[in-house]
Amino acid sequence: MVSTLLAVMLALFTWTTLEAAENPDGRTILARATEAHGGDSWAKVRTLKLKGQAIFWGEAGSEPTSAPNSYVMYREFDPDRQAAHGAEGKLRIIVSDHGKHLWTVGYDGETTWNDKGAIPKSEADVYWASNFGFGIIRHAFKPGFKAERLADSNVDGFATYMVRLTDPTATESVFGIDKKTHAVRMVGFLTPRGWHVRTYSGFFRPKKMPRWLQAGKVTLFYNGVKQNEVHWKQAEINVQVDQSLFSVKEQRR
């Protein structure tokens, strides 16, 4: 009788443990995503340089409006980021097609600028609020952040956990985390342009950073309509970035 009781207790303990493992809470899911993408080195990345190409569509029509074969982004991250969808750190994007410069945008930590020069802060805030959003996941375990699991879903056919991450400013972002690989498959958030969703696929690991998991394809939607795709081919992590690249005074092509 004692052995039977012990067996029942062991089975109950095993079932409870498995149930907890199969029904993780939001914080646990984001912790698994962090580990899948590279752990602490991913969460505390200092700089990132990405090279690839892009495809853009207009507000209407099915044909692309442009497909530049060179899309380069330089990022310097703010380790103390608090707000999900505002400008943070430093950034520069340079877009060209077969050697012809198309456009550039930069942010030096204070001023946003493009080929025409500095952009008024009111316009810049709207621009960044419609674009920044993924990186806040790196700060999910800091004080003031809250992670809540939502109803499971799927992204591009992959079963996903859905987690709502709320930052200290009460701004919400919804992340879709692959149930098998724990890669981030999507992020969605409200912007001045409407509901914005980014999906991630084609993951690869840079040779010099084998633990780093980089999305090779990023697709951007606004209000359900696809606006552009970015296809990353190369990723360099924590490399030295020339600070002049972020400066409004820098206009080199």
Side-chain angles (χ1 to χ4, degrees), residues 6 10 19 32 38 50 61-62 95 103 107 122 158 169 177 181 227 244 246:
L6 288 173
L10 179 60
E19 183 183 42
R32 292 177 181 177
L50 296 172
S62 62
V95 184
W103 56 269
Y107 177 68
S122 58
F158 295 92
T169 70
I177 310 300
T181 67
Q227 295 290 295
S244 68
F246 303 119

Side-chain angles (χ1 to χ4, degrees), residues 79-96:
D80 301 316
R81 182 176 182 177
Q82 293 288 304
H85 310 306
E88 60 90 16
K90 298 179 182 179
L91 175 141
R92 175 77 179 275
I93 296 175
I94 305 171
V95 184
S96 59

Side-chain angles (χ1 to χ4, degrees), residues 27-229:
R27 186 180 176 87
T28 299
I29 293 167
L30 295 188
R32 292 177 181 177
T34 297
E35 181 61 25
H37 278 271
D40 204 45
S41 62
W42 179 78
K44 297 181 179 179
V45 59
R46 300 186 305 277
T47 67
L48 178 62
K49 178 182 178 181
L50 296 172
K51 288 186 175 181
Q53 56 195 55
I55 306 173
F56 295 89
W57 286 265
E59 294 297 326
S62 62
E63 295 300 317
T65 55
S66 66
N69 74 334
S70 178
Y71 193 92
V72 183
M73 181 174 73
Y74 299 86
R75 288 294 310 274
E76 184 175 278
F77 295 90
D78 178 4
D80 301 316
R81 182 176 182 177
Q82 293 288 304
H85 310 306
E88 60 90 16
K90 298 179 182 179
L91 175 141
R92 175 77 179 275
I93 296 175
I94 305 171
V95 184
S96 59
D97 188 47
H98 295 91
K100 179 182 179 181
H101 176 79
L102 298 181
W103 56 269
T104 189
V105 63
Y107 177 68
D108 65 5
E110 294 183 357
T111 302
T112 299
W113 56 277
N114 57 24
D115 294 290
K116 298 179 181 179
I119 299 174
K121 188 178 185 305
S122 58
E123 295 180 22
D125 287 347
V126 170
Y127 178 80
W128 295 125
S130 298
N131 287 277
F132 270 132
F134 175 87
I136 199 65
I137 192 175
R138 293 186 169 95
H139 305 267
F141 308 106
K142 294 180 179 179
F145 286 81
K146 181 173 65 173
E148 304 170 276
R149 183 173 172 182
L150 306 176
D152 295 349
S153 188
N154 69 80
V155 178
D156 292 338
F158 295 92
T160 54
Y161 296 114
M162 304 301 291
V163 178
R164 178 168 54 219
L165 178 63
T166 306
D167 70 22
T169 70
T171 301
E172 299 177 348
S173 306
V174 177
F175 286 89
I177 310 300
D178 192 300
K179 285 191 172 184
K180 290 185 178 180
T181 67
H182 300 116
V184 179
R185 288 284 177 185
M186 67 82 71
V187 61
F189 51 92
L190 188 62
T191 79
R193 293 180 60 182
W195 181 249
H196 178 39
V197 169
R198 296 186 179 200
T199 62
Y200 304 90
S201 59
F203 296 93
F204 67 93
R205 297 185 184 276
K207 291 182 179 179
K208 293 184 179 180
M209 288 285 288
R211 285 208 63 213
W212 183 280
L213 186 64
Q214 176 64 47
K217 179 182 177 182
V218 184
T219 307
L220 290 78
F221 302 83
Y222 290 91
N223 297 318
V225 179
K226 182 166 66 172
Q227 295 290 295
N228 63 290
E229 294 176 353

